[in-house]
């Protein structure tokens, strides 16, 4: 039975890859296939990629699944509801095209797929920081620390740091579950790093080390959301982890719009309005999410703006959820990162005045260690009872991965002046950050040079979020194939150039406006090619749809 | 702070209800005592390395090289790492696009899922599809993901064995579902009783709860018996905390291993929705180092490999020692007054039943504690042994247990068991009926044993069933 069924599943999976088209009902409008215009070429490509699989052969088997205990209509609807565009439809298509290129080189007008959809630096050639990896390797295999030959392979200070860290782990057992908040010694290091950064003390007991920042966000949503009547204020556009997490936990997203015209600024009056509107609908708003530097928008908040936000949260009794994972990614000299904790403390607000959670991750910055899964949340201004509950939820999973914990401590306490590895570490870090700044600038200029496209500068983070004025004709063509206009654009872009971006609708945008998010992460030497391909495509697109 | 801010009153109820005893009251008390300088033996969680078990060398060598791939270019790397570890590191690195620091596919690296599928096929003799394998950051995440997909609300029930590893009860609580217990039969070596199971399902259905079937291969058999529509059923085999291996007669033997194999009966659209869900759910991708460890677990060194002999020596050594410690512990518990213990056939735990005298139960009540919590706290204070009370796992009404692990070092075992025995004797002395006790004391040690044996003849357990090789 198992053998038969496994084959069956394999068949079905292979033939229902583009599941989104199966779930929707694409109404394909017909364009003459004899026309050689770019438009129809583009559209034919488009239609081909949305072709629904042939369901007829599965009819006889379909009845086998009617008795399956868990079906589409009986799984948790919150799971169905949540969306994560960063790895959505466009990416699935890109992977399909990549397979096709592999099997049949030359089958597309491009040689390779360029993934500009996800903040995954090391998948695009960025190198890890050597010192960090040296320490991690030694901690993964402490047995070699006693060998003389090891000194020939590793820098002296990485060996020293490994010893230091291992001494903080009982029995030097990096394979053992740690304290559910993370190894105490590492939390001490992180707290010291926070203090050095902000100039205000941090308590290691406020720190919860997690497998990346995302699990920490989920934990907070779980605590805060009791029902659909609980709302969380989120910026629009936002990183869709928030909308997805809120949906998954059964809450309500209360949007506040960032102002594109003022570099994605945040207006307190808008926050107030959204809060009041939500309240009038019976929503109890529990928290405010702020992403600083912003994703996808890349803005770095001005300090006085941050002060207004802190005051707002304090006054309204909202928990301030500060996503600060891009704190090391700042590209403009006129802006600086200030943690919300620093801002709050500078205003004289302490533990009793404001509930604040700060999220940090090892996935971004100049280290870009997405696959290691490291991060933490610093939780301040909560009662001991709440802290106990947070601890309890953290303990069900026992602990986060130790390697990720160690990495988080390295990120918050990197080599210092005078350390043997300082110079090489510094050189690596500066090279990466200055390159990111250059790429951000180049791509921003390129986007602004396109007809009908405006793009705010990326002050920080890893993305550009250009806005396209799509001509009426394009919007209509998109409607005709039952696709959002920005997704329509993104799909055509992919088919023509191999460049993968994420449609703005995945992040939220003012209705009637269209954007896409493009990362600044492809290696610097690929940027000119990306720009020229994109420019050429865009010109063709506008020629066809300008009307 | 504004009263509207997050406080205990307005916290998510499901979070409040959720309990996880493994790191609950006993563990917290033990940690406090440790801070005060008391020596604590943590046997509350299956955490082998924390109790001195050494990591296997080969996997650590491979992962260290993957962490620092620049080592592979160093001419001296061969002085510190064997050639097969170097080759294997290159093999796994080639599966990634960007090494350990890049997000992988949210299901895990395809190359490793393929190795896992091949392992399953070798183990079971039936094909396994890599497309149906989801690598996760530990098994707990996988369990949570599946349960999250199934549980819509309080009307969705999950059949869970009692006693169970409280991940299941905690997760079901957090997700707002219903925990539907089916009791394992202690007198039948913690066997699964289909009658018990059927009873649980019927009872739940009468309360309007629909039950889910997770492991369909096993449930197929159960389905025939129950002839009911079921939603999900958890089976822990080898058992935790109970340590039994379900016999083939009981159920078709299967092992839950730390990845999720979505069985074929899941509707393909449901599978695809689930893929979509896992793309972001708790983390974008499982950590890549962990994935590589999984690959190494399912394809260890082979005969002829440089590292093979050492690998076999290390792993065999650990398993044989675990086997011996399982014996020492079970026998040790069985020689204690008022303690009965099923043999640990598998897993890492011992789950002795403690026959608490009525006076002890009363004393616990007065202290505001559940009876086995009371016992375990006293055990902790007296000996430093940190266990988890049976109430944390579930047990029949009025029957008490504690869970400990078989993980303390072999050389420490005799002392630990002696320490337990001494404490237990003193505890029982304190709380048993005075009359019986006085006689015993006057007559000395032997009389104690004799009297004790007379008092509980069922303690004469049959010799443990033949050891089914369960560790690898």
């Amino acid at each position: 039975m198992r053998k038969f069924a496994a084959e069956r599943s394999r068949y079905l999976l292979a033939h229902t890859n583009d599941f989104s088209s199966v779930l929707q009902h694409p109404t394909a409008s017909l364009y003459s296939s004899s026309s050689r215009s770019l438009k129809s070429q583009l559209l034919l490509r488009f239609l081909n990629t949305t072709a629904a699989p042939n369901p007829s052969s599965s009819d006889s088997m379909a009845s086998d699944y009617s008795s399956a205990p868990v079906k589409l209509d009986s799984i948790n609807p919150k799971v169905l509801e949540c969306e994560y565009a960063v790895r959505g439809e466009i990416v699935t298509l890109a992977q399909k095209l990549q397979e096709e290129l592999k099997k049949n080189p030359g089958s597309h007008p491009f040689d390779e797929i360029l993934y500009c959809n996800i903040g995954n630096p090391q998948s695009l050639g960025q190198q890890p920081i050597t010192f960090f990896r040296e320490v991690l390797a030694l901690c993964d295999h402490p047995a070699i620390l006693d060998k003389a030959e090891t000194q020939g392979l590793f820098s002296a200070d990485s060996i020293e740091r490994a010893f230091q860290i291992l001494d903080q782990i009982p029995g030097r057992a990096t394979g053992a579950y740690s304290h559910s908040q993370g190894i105490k010694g590492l939390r001490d290091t992180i707290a010291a790093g926070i203090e050095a950064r902000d100039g205000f003390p941090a308590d290691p007991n406020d720190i919860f080390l997690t497998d990346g920042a995302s699990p920490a966000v989920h934990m907070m949503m779980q605590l805060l959301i009791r029902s659909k009547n609980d709302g969380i204020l989120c910026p629009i556009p936002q990183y869709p982890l928030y909308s997805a997490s809120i949906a998954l936990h059964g809450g309500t997203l209360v949007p506040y719009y960032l102002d594109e015209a003022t570099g994605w600024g945040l207006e307190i009056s808008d926050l107030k309005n959204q809060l009041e509107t939500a309240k009038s609908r019976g929503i109890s708003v529990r928290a405010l999410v702020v992403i600083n530097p912003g994703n996808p928008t890349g803005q770095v908040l001005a300090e006085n703006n941050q002060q207004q936000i802190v005051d707002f949260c304090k006054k309204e009794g909202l928990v301030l959820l500060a996503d600060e994972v891009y704190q090391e990614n700042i590209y403009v000299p006129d802006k600086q990162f200030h943690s919300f904790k620093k801002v709050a403390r500078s205003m004289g607000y302490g533990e009793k005045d404001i509930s604040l959670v700060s999220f940090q991750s090892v996935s971004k910055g100049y280290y870009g260690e997405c696959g290691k899964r490291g991060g933490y949340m610093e939780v301040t201004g909560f009662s001991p009872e709440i802290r106990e509950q947070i601890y309890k939820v953290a303990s069900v999973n026992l602990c986060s991965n130790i390697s990720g914990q160690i990495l988080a401590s390295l990120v918050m306490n990197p080599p210092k002046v005078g350390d043997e590895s300082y110079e090489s570490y510094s050189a690596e870090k500066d090279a990466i950050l200055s390159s990111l700044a250059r790429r951000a600038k180049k791509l921003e200029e390129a986007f602004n040079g396109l007809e009908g496209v405006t793009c705010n500068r990326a002050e920080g983070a890893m993305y550009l979020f250009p806005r396209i004025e799509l001509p009426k004709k394009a919007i209509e063509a998109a409607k005709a194939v039952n696709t959002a206009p920005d997704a329509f654009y993104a799909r055509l872009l992919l088919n023509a150039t191999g460049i993968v971006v994420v449609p703005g609708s995945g992040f939220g945008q003012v209705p009637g406006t269209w954007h896409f998010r493009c990362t600044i992460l492809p290696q610097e030497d690929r940027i000119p090619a990306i720009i020229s391909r994109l420019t050429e495509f865009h010109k063709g697109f506008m020629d066809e749809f300008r009307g | 702070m504004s009263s509207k801010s997050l406080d205990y009153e307005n916290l998510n109820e499901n979070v409040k209800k959720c309990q996880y005893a493994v790191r609950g009251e006993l563990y917290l008390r033990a940690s406090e005592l440790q801070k005060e300088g008391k020596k604590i033996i943590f046997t509350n969680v299956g955490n082998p390395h924390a109790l001195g078990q050494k990591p296997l060398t080969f996997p650590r060598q491979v992962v260290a090289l993957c962490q620092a791939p620049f080592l592979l270019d160093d001419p001296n790397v061969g002085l510190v790492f064997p050639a097969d570890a170097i080759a294997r590191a290159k093999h796994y690195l080639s599966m990634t696009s960007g090494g350990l620091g890049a997000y992988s596919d949210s299901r895990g690296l395809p190359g490793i899922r393929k190795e896992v599928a091949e392992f399953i096929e070798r183990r079971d003799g039936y094909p396994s599809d890599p497309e149906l394998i989801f690598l996760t950051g530990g098994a707990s995440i996988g369990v949570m993901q599946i349960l999250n997909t199934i549980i819509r609300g309080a009307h969705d029930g999950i059949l869970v064995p009692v006693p169970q590893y409280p991940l299941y009860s905690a997760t079901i609580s957090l997700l707002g579902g219903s925990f539907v217990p089916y009791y394992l039969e202690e007198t039948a070596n913690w066997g699964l009783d289909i009658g018990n199971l059927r009873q649980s399902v019927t009872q739940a259905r009468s309360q309007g709860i629909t039950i889910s079937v997770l492991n369909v291969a096993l449930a197929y058999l159960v389905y025939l018996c129950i002839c009911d529509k079921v939603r999900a059923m958890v089976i822990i085999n080898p058992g935790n905390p109970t340590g039994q291996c379900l016999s083939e007669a009981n159920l078709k033997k299967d092992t839950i291993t730390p990845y999720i194999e979505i069985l074929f009966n899941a509707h393909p659209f449901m599978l695809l929705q689930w893929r979509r869900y896992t793309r972001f759910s708790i983390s974008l991708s499982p950590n890549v180092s962990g994935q590589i460890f999984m690959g190494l677990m399912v394809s260890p060194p082979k005969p002829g490999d440089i590292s093979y002999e050492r690998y076999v020596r290390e792993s065999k050594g650990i398993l044989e020692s675990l086997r011996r410690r399982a014996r020492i512990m079970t026998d040790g518990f069985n020689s204690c007054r008022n303690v009965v213990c099923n043999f640990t056939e598998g897993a890492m735990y011992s789950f002795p039943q403690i026959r608490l005298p009525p006076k002890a139960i009363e004393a616990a009540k007065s202290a505001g504690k559940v009876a086995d919590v009371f016992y375990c706290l006293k055990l902790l204070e007296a000996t430093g042994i940190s266990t988890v009370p049976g109430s944390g796992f579930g047990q029949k009404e009025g029957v008490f247990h504690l869970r400990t692990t078989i993980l303390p070092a072999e050389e420490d075992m005799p002392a630990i068991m002696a320490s337990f025995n001494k404490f237990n004797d003193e505890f029982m002395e304190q709380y048993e009926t005075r009359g019986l006790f006085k006689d015993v004391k006057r007559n000395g040690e032997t009389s104690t044993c004799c009297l004790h044996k007379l008092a509980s003849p069922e303690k004469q357990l049959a010799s443990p069933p033949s050891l089914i090789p369960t560790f690898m």
Side-chain angles (χ1 to χ4, degrees):
Chain A
M1 187 179 176
R2 190 163 168 169
K3 185 176 175 191
F4 146 77
E7 280 167 12
R8 181 73 209 122
S9 291
R10 209 174 293 131
Y11 170 86
L12 280 163
L13 277 168
H15 288 79
T16 54
N17 256 334
D18 198 358
F19 58 85
S20 56
S21 62
V22 177
L23 295 175
Q24 298 168 17
H25 297 284
T27 50
S29 172
L30 293 171
Y31 283 77
S32 163
S33 53
S34 60
S35 160
R36 285 168 169 269
S37 73
L38 178 63
K39 167 166 90 177
S40 43
Q41 270 179 47
L42 289 172
L43 276 161
L44 272 174
R45 278 184 159 279
F46 179 88
L47 291 171
N48 284 338
T49 57
T50 56
N54 179 4
S56 58
S57 53
S58 54
D59 275 351
S60 60
M61 303 294 187
S63 57
D64 289 357
Y65 293 94
S66 58
S67 61
V70 184
K71 296 192 286 239
L72 193 63
D73 61 357
S74 63
I75 69 170
N76 185 355
K78 296 178 206 159
V79 168
L80 283 179
E81 216 181 286
C82 57
E83 296 280 337
Y84 186 66
V86 176
R87 273 195 170 159
E89 225 179 279
I90 295 281
V91 177
T92 311
L93 173 58
Q95 286 164 345
K96 184 162 160 230
L97 297 178
Q98 192 165 37
E99 282 299 311
E100 285 171 15
L101 271 178
K102 224 196 221 169
K103 287 189 192 129
N104 197 4
S107 52
H108 292 283
F110 47 83
D111 294 329
E112 55 173 345
I113 301 290
L114 282 155
Y115 288 98
C116 301
N117 60 306
I118 183 171
N120 195 10
Q122 292 189 30
S123 73
L124 292 165
Q126 182 173 310
Q127 293 303 301
I129 298 295
T130 306
F131 178 78
F132 292 170
R133 291 303 191 89
E134 284 183 298
V135 176
L136 290 174
L138 290 165
C139 291
D140 264 345
H141 189 33
I144 61 175
L145 281 169
D146 301 321
K147 285 183 148 200
E149 296 91 336
T150 302
Q151 291 174 29
L153 282 179
F154 293 85
S155 61
D157 55 347
S158 70
I159 293 174
E160 200 188 314
R161 184 72 80 99
F163 271 121
Q164 227 179 69
I165 290 169
L166 290 165
D167 285 342
Q168 294 169 333
I169 302 174
R172 291 192 177 173
T174 51
Y177 291 127
S178 73
H179 185 287
S180 294
Q181 283 178 243
I183 293 160
K184 177 63 169 41
L186 298 178
R187 286 185 280 129
D188 290 340
T189 303
I190 291 170
I194 294 172
E195 192 166 334
R197 180 194 70 195
D198 293 347
F200 291 95
D203 185 347
N205 293 322
D206 289 343
I207 294 171
F208 288 77
L209 283 156
T210 49
D211 289 304
S214 302
V217 170
H218 282 293
M219 246 194 269
M220 289 312 300
M221 294 304 177
Q222 182 151 62
L223 281 144
L224 287 163
I225 297 172
R226 296 162 294 183
S227 73
K228 206 92 188 101
N229 297 325
D230 282 327
I232 311 284
L233 273 160
C234 285
I236 301 294
Q238 48 98 45
Y239 174 51
L241 164 68
Y242 294 97
S243 44
S245 188
I246 292 166
L248 205 58
H249 292 99
T252 296
L253 190 152
V254 179
Y256 65 91
Y257 288 87
L258 300 175
D259 187 8
E260 187 159 13
T262 59
W264 300 113
L266 199 152
E267 280 304 314
I268 294 294
S269 53
D270 185 47
L271 274 179
K272 284 199 175 108
N273 284 339
Q274 297 298 346
L275 178 62
E276 293 312 315
T277 310
K279 275 185 190 172
S280 69
R281 292 199 187 127
I283 305 282
S284 168
V285 181
R286 311 292 309 267
L288 169 68
V289 172
V290 183
I291 310 174
N292 184 44
N295 176 6
T297 46
Q299 86 288 15
V300 178
L301 292 172
E303 207 173 344
N304 68 317
N305 215 184
Q306 288 183 276
Q307 288 166 347
Q308 292 172 316
I309 293 166
V310 167
D311 265 327
F312 176 74
C313 289
K314 177 175 185 298
K315 178 160 171 280
E316 303 291 344
L318 303 176
V319 176
L320 177 49
L321 300 172
D323 179 340
E324 302 183 315
V325 304
Y326 294 101
Q327 58 188 262
E328 303 259 20
N329 300 101
I330 312 276
Y331 310 126
V332 294
D334 56 315
K335 289 286 181 79
Q336 226 191 320
F337 172 75
H338 303 286
S339 78
F340 268 100
K341 180 148 156 275
K342 173 176 155 189
V343 169
R345 297 287 179 270
S346 311
M347 294 165 78
Y349 294 144
E351 284 282 326
K352 301 218 186 304
D353 299 303
I354 179 162
S355 303
L356 167 60
V357 183
S358 164
F359 302 100
Q360 167 62 315
S361 168
V362 305
S363 302
K364 310 302 175 190
Y366 55 89
Y367 21 90
E369 298 274 25
C370 303
K372 303 288 300 146
R373 313 313 297 131
Y376 68 78
M377 62 176 176
E378 185 194 10
V379 173
T380 55
F382 291 93
S383 66
E385 293 86 48
I386 297 295
R387 302 279 308 261
E388 258 173 51
Q389 296 296 316
I390 301 176
Y391 171 84
K392 185 176 71 174
V393 172
S395 75
V396 178
N397 225 8
L398 285 159
C399 71
S400 63
N401 87 84
I402 305 299
S403 194
Q405 291 187 32
I406 293 172
L407 186 50
S409 79
L410 292 167
V411 160
M412 296 306 286
N413 184 22
K416 304 270 182 303
V417 178
D419 294 350
E420 178 188 317
S421 298
Y422 178 72
E423 274 182 37
S424 54
Y425 153 80
S426 216
E428 286 174 357
K429 172 182 173 184
D430 290 342
I432 289 168
L433 287 174
S434 58
S435 173
L436 282 166
R438 286 191 299 270
R439 285 178 267 169
K441 199 82 202 126
K442 270 216 175 75
L443 282 166
E444 178 217 323
E445 281 166 359
F447 285 131
N448 275 312
L450 300 175
E451 180 190 340
V453 178
T454 52
C455 188
N456 282 334
R457 67 175 182 169
E459 298 179 341
M462 291 178 171
Y463 316 98
L464 285 163
F465 200 61
R467 177 176 164 182
I468 339 168
E469 286 286 353
L470 288 168
K472 208 150 149 251
K473 237 179 165 183
I475 297 178
E476 280 163 13
K479 264 204 182 83
V481 290
N482 213 22
T483 303
D486 48 13
F488 179 74
Y489 181 91
R491 195 180 269 268
L492 289 173
L493 171 67
L494 171 59
N495 283 320
T497 65
I499 298 170
V500 191
V501 299
V502 188
S505 32
F507 304 88
Q509 53 207 342
V510 170
T513 67
W514 311 107
H515 302 77
F516 61 84
R517 189 187 79 168
C518 179
T519 72
I520 59 173
L521 299 174
Q523 286 302 290
E524 218 166 335
D525 56 8
R526 319 305 308 278
I527 299 287
I530 292 174
I531 291 174
S532 69
R533 271 197 247 170
L534 204 134
T535 306
E536 194 194 326
F537 160 78
H538 187 82
K539 187 172 180 303
F541 178 90
M542 292 307 271
D543 284 343
E544 288 302 325
F545 291 103
R546 203 181 289 111
Chain B
M1 220 175 335
S2 166
S3 59
K4 280 178 279 177
S5 184
L6 184 63
D7 60 28
Y8 194 77
E9 283 310 303
N10 59 29
L11 188 63
N12 182 357
E13 280 302 316
N14 291 341
V15 170
K16 288 190 244 186
K17 279 192 246 160
C18 153
Q19 294 296 326
Y20 185 68
V22 175
R23 280 218 163 148
E25 188 179 351
L26 253 299
Y27 171 74
L28 292 169
R29 180 70 188 130
S31 303
E32 266 172 38
L33 290 170
Q34 189 182 45
K35 275 197 200 120
E36 291 166 19
K38 190 176 174 74
K39 180 169 189 302
I40 304 292
I41 304 155
F42 284 99
T43 68
N44 60 307
V45 65
N47 196 8
H49 294 195
L51 290 157
Q53 182 174 311
K54 295 276 167 272
L56 296 171
T57 306
F58 186 73
R60 292 304 191 98
Q61 290 170 328
V62 174
V63 175
L65 287 167
C66 292
Q67 289 277 21
F70 42 83
L71 292 173
L72 295 167
D73 299 325
D74 194 311
N76 291 324
V77 67
L79 298 173
V80 181
F81 295 89
D84 55 354
I86 293 170
R88 193 74 87 93
K90 288 181 179 164
H91 162 76
Y92 285 122
L93 284 169
S94 71
M95 286 181 184
T96 68
S97 37
L100 299 191
Y103 291 126
S104 72
D105 183 299
S106 52
R107 290 170 296 171
L109 293 165
I112 298 197
R113 287 186 279 129
K114 183 160 172 287
E115 290 186 358
V116 169
E118 286 164 1
F119 161 78
I120 296 173
E121 219 167 300
R122 284 193 307 270
R123 181 195 68 193
D124 294 348
Y126 293 97
S128 177
D129 188 351
E131 291 300 295
L132 304 180
I133 308 279
F134 286 64
L135 299 175
T136 54
S140 301
I141 299 290
V143 169
M144 288 177 171
Q145 285 180 357
I146 288 263
L147 290 175
N148 204 352
T149 319
I150 293 172
I151 295 174
R152 297 164 294 186
H155 293 294
D156 282 325
I158 310 291
L159 273 167
V160 186
V162 174
Q164 48 99 43
Y165 174 51
L167 165 69
Y168 297 96
S169 46
T171 305
I172 292 165
S173 241
L174 279 171
L175 296 171
S178 279
F179 181 92
V180 181
Y182 66 92
Y183 288 86
L184 300 176
E185 196 42 68
E186 186 162 12
T187 57
N189 214 31
W190 296 115
L192 198 144
D193 185 315
I194 293 296
N196 267 349
L197 190 56
R198 190 182 289 145
Q199 197 177 34
S200 303
V201 174
T202 314
Q203 201 167 4
R205 288 200 80 236
S206 72
Q207 289 164 12
I209 295 172
T210 38
I211 304 171
S212 286
V213 174
L214 268 184
N215 189 322
V216 178
L218 293 157
Y220 184 66
L221 288 165
V222 175
Y223 185 95
L224 295 175
C225 302
I226 297 176
C227 295
D228 250 347
K229 181 187 149 197
V230 285
R231 272 220 126 202
M233 173 179 168
V234 175
I235 297 173
I236 312 173
N237 184 35
N240 177 4
T242 45
Q244 86 289 11
C245 290
L246 297 174
S247 68
E248 211 145 349
N250 213 182
L251 272 168
K252 192 167 181 176
K253 184 168 178 213
D254 201 344
T255 315
I256 293 184
T257 33
Y259 46 76
I260 302 167
E261 191 188 6
I262 301 179
L263 296 177
F264 46 88
N265 256 9
H267 191 287
F269 293 147
M270 185 237 143
L271 254 181
L272 294 166
Q273 286 301 322
W274 205 60
R275 266 166 75 169
R276 200 170 109 182
Y277 159 71
T278 58
R279 277 183 181 134
F280 72 89
S281 64
I282 295 171
S283 94
L284 268 168
S285 89
N287 88 78
V288 182
S289 295
Q291 295 185 40
I292 292 173
F293 268 107
M294 180 51 71
L296 289 161
M297 190 190 101
V298 299
S299 31
K302 294 189 179 40
D305 292 351
I306 297 166
S307 302
Y308 177 71
E309 266 166 38
R310 182 177 196 173
Y311 184 85
V312 169
R313 197 176 59 239
E314 288 174 350
S315 41
K316 246 183 148 181
I318 290 167
L319 289 172
E320 283 167 2
S321 173
L322 283 167
R323 202 165 288 180
R324 288 191 298 270
R325 283 179 273 169
R327 258 256 148 71
I328 295 172
M329 211 161 216
T330 311
D331 292 348
F333 281 130
N334 277 317
S335 70
C336 292
R337 194 150 131 198
N338 293 341
V339 179
V340 179
C341 191
N342 279 336
F343 185 70
T344 297
E345 295 178 340
M348 290 181 167
Y349 312 97
S350 192
F351 199 61
Q353 185 189 139
I354 319 283
R355 306 242 168 101
L356 292 171
K359 280 207 168 130
I361 300 176
E362 273 168 46
K365 223 188 220 144
S366 322
K369 298 276 177 217
V370 175
D372 50 17
V373 174
F374 180 75
Y375 180 92
C376 290
L377 281 168
K378 291 233 174 271
L379 170 66
L380 170 65
E381 314 258 346
T383 65
I385 300 171
S386 173
T387 57
V388 188
S391 42
F393 303 89
Q395 52 205 351
K396 285 193 173 146
E397 186 77 38
V399 182
F400 304 105
H401 303 80
L402 59 82
R403 188 188 81 165
T404 177
T405 67
I406 58 171
L407 299 173
E410 209 170 331
E411 58 265 26
D412 296 338
M413 277 291 193
I416 292 172
M417 294 317 292
S419 177
F420 176 86
N421 198 4
K422 180 167 180 287
F423 157 79
N424 185 66
D425 267 346
E426 286 164 5
F427 184 94
M428 295 307 169
E429 274 178 36
Q430 192 183 349
Y431 292 104
E432 277 196 306
T433 323
R434 288 284 137 184
L436 198 66
F437 168 72
K438 270 194 180 129
D439 291 332
V440 168
K441 224 186 172 179
R442 241 183 286 142
N443 292 335
E445 205 52 38
T446 0
S447 297
T448 308
C449 287
C450 286
L451 215 66
H452 155 62
K453 276 192 174 153
L454 277 173
S456 44
E458 64 269 37
K459 272 243 2 218
Q460 313 280 344
L461 280 183
S463 52
S466 62
L467 270 169
I468 302 161
T470 53
F471 308 109
M472 277 185 70

